[in-house]
C-alpha cells in the first residue's frame, strides 16, 4: 500500500497533469493499468511546466554500478541541470531496482521528475526500515508570533501582526502552535499541526494579503508565522514502490513510501 505524508499547499495526485507535461511527452509510455486507476479530486498545478525548456532525460540504466550507484549518478547530473531552473527527468526503465537507502532531494533540488515505464513494469524495492522511500523536502525559517488580539477569520485573505520575517511573494506557514480538539484536553495537544501554507501577495507594514482564503478561523493568542523555502516542481510517475521488509519503522516520520515536506507544485501520478 502506498503511504504518503503531506505538508504542502498544492499537491497534485494522479490523472490531471496535462498530457503534454513532462515525462509522458518525453517518453511516450508508462500508463498505470486501468484496473488499478483511481480518480482523484482535481487540485490543479500552479504553473503549467510543459513549456519550460530545455528538458533533459537521464536514464538510470545508462549509469554503471549497483542500482544505488546508478540512481545517485543520474540524480547528481539532474540536480546540476535543474539548478539553473531547467527540468530534469530521471527515468527508470522497466525492471526491478533494489535500494537500501532513501532517494532524497532538498530545497535546492527543484524541477526534477521521476517517471517509470509504468506501474506494471517499473518496481522500486526498498529495504531500509527507518527510511522513507522518497524524501522530498523544502525548509522552514524561524517563526514570529502574529497579532495576539486579532483572529484570522475563515475565508478571509488578510492577516495582521508581526510580519518582519516575510516579504511579498514569500511562501509562509501560519498555524496554531498549541491546538487541541474539543473537548479541550491539555494531554492531547497538537503542536504546529493546525494551520496552512500560502503565499504573501501584498504586504503593507503589519498587514498582508494572502493568496488563499483561510480554511478555518484561527483564534488570536497562539498564532505563529514562518517563511517556507519550498521545494517545487517535483513529480513521481508511473511506477510501483515496494518494501521488502516486514519490520515497522521505529523512528517518527520514517517508513513512508513518499514524504513531501514543505513542497509546492508537486505531484504523484500513476504510482502504486
Amino acid at each position: 500500500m502506498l503511504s504518503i505524508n503531506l505538508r504542502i499547499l498544492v499537491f497534485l495526485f494522479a490523472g490531471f497533469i496535462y498530457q503534454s507535461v513532462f515525462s509522458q511527452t518525453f517518453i511516450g509510455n508508462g500508463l498505470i493499468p486501468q484496473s488499478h486507476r483511481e480518480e482523484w479530486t482535481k487540485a490543479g498545478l500552479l504553473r503549467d511546466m510543459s513549456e519550460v525548456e530545455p528538458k533533459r532525460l537521464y536514464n538510470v540504466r545508462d549509469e554503471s554500478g549497483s542500482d544505488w550507484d546508478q540512481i545517485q549518478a543520474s540524480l547528481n547530473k539532474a540536480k546540476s541541470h535543474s539548478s539553473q531552473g531547467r527540468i530534469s527527468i530521471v527515468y527508470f526503465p522497466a525492471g526491478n531496482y533494489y535500494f537500501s537507502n532513501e532517494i532524497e532531494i532538498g530545497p535546492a533540488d527543484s524541477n526534477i521528475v521521476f517517471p517509470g515505464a509504468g506501474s506494471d513494469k517499473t518496481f522500486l524495492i526498498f529495504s531500509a526500515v527507518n527510511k522513507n522511500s522518497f524524501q522530498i523536502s523544502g525548509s522552514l525559517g524561524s517563526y514570529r508570533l502574529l497579532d495576539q488580539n486579532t483572529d484570522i477569520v475563515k475565508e478571509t485573505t488578510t492577516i495582521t501582526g508581526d510580519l518582519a520575517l516575510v516579504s511579498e511573494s514569500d511562501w509562509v506557514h501560519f498555524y496554531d502552535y498549541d491546538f487541541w480538539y474539543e473537548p479541550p484536553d491539555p494531554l492531547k495537544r497538537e503542536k504546529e499541526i493546525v494551520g496552512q501554507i500560502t503565499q504573501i501577495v501584498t504586504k503593507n507594514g503589519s498587514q498582508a494579503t494572502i493568496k488563499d482564503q483561510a480554511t478555518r478561523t484561527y483564534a488570536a493568542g497562539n498564532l505563529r508565522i514562518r517563511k517556507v523555502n519550498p521545494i517545487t516542481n517535483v513529480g513521481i510517475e508511473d511506477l510501483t514502490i515496494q518494501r521488502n521488509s516486514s519490520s515497522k519503522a521505529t523512528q517518527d516520520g520514517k517508513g513512508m513510501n513518499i514524504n513531501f515536506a514543505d513542497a509546492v507544485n508537486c505531484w504523484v501520478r500513476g504510482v502504486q
Side-chain angles (χ1 to χ4, degrees):
M1 178 179 293
L2 177 66
S3 59
I4 305 177
N5 185 49
L6 307 177
R7 189 172 75 227
I8 61 172
L9 170 66
V10 177
F11 185 75
L12 184 60
F13 275 112
F16 49 87
I17 294 179
Y18 298 127
Q19 190 173 5
S20 60
V21 177
F22 296 122
S23 59
Q24 292 305 303
T25 297
F26 209 100
I27 300 166
N29 60 12
L31 295 177
I32 190 168
Q34 183 66 46
S35 59
H36 295 293
R37 293 184 188 180
E38 295 286 350
E39 295 296 325
W40 301 93
T41 301
K42 181 177 290 187
L45 283 166
L46 294 179
R47 178 184 178 196
D48 180 1
M49 299 295 292
S50 60
E51 300 304 318
V52 176
E53 296 291 349
K55 301 179 181 69
R56 185 168 296 175
L57 183 142
Y58 300 94
N59 188 322
V60 174
R61 288 305 193 208
D62 286 344
E63 305 296 336
S64 59
S66 66
D67 291 346
W68 184 249
D69 292 336
Q70 291 175 3
I71 180 57
Q72 288 304 300
S74 299
L75 192 52
N76 287 338
K77 293 177 181 178
K79 289 178 179 179
S80 178
H81 180 74
S82 295
S83 65
Q84 302 176 51
R86 300 175 296 190
I87 301 299
S88 294
I89 299 171
V90 178
Y91 175 56
F92 295 94
N96 294 340
Y97 300 79
Y98 295 89
F99 302 125
S100 59
N101 208 334
E102 63 188 4
I103 298 173
E104 182 177 10
I105 57 176
D109 305 324
S110 295
N111 306 318
I112 299 176
V113 186
F114 298 90
S119 64
D120 58 339
K121 298 181 179 69
T122 297
F123 300 87
L124 309 188
I125 303 163
F126 294 82
S127 60
V129 175
N130 285 308
K131 297 285 187 179
N132 299 320
S133 300
F134 281 89
Q135 178 64 45
I136 300 167
S137 307
S139 63
L140 294 171
S142 301
Y143 74 86
R144 287 287 183 97
L145 294 174
L146 274 173
D147 194 329
Q148 298 302 287
N149 300 308
T150 305
D151 294 349
I152 298 179
V153 180
K154 182 178 180 180
E155 297 183 352
T156 189
T157 57
T158 300
I159 58 175
T160 303
D162 186 349
L163 302 173
L165 293 181
V166 300
S167 304
E168 289 185 2
S169 78
D170 282 349
W171 291 93
V172 297
H173 179 211
F174 64 85
Y175 57 97
D176 280 333
Y177 175 71
D178 203 2
F179 174 87
W180 56 66
Y181 294 93
E182 296 292 341
D185 184 348
L187 298 179
K188 296 181 180 179
R189 290 178 291 190
E190 302 286 352
K191 294 184 181 296
E192 304 185 18
I193 296 298
V194 177
Q196 66 189 83
I197 293 178
T198 187
Q199 191 172 29
I200 301 293
V201 178
T202 62
K203 176 186 170 184
N204 185 8
S206 62
Q207 189 172 84
T209 302
I210 55 177
K211 176 181 179 294
D212 307 283
Q213 294 181 344
T215 56
R216 63 185 296 271
T217 294
Y218 298 91
N222 204 25
L223 285 172
R224 300 188 179 192
I225 190 170
R226 55 190 172 188
K227 182 179 177 180
V228 177
N229 301 302
I231 189 167
T232 61
N233 306 321
V234 175
I236 303 171
E237 304 180 2
D238 303 320
L239 50 81
T240 288
I241 299 173
Q242 296 178 349
R243 296 272 183 165
N244 65 359
S245 173
S246 59
S247 299
K248 293 183 178 180
T250 58
Q251 297 179 12
D252 290 343
K254 297 298 182 180
M256 291 171 282
N257 283 342
I258 302 174
N259 184 15
F260 280 93
D262 308 309
V264 171
N265 212 41
C266 295
W267 67 93
V268 174
R269 181 180 190 272
V271 173
Q272 293 190 64

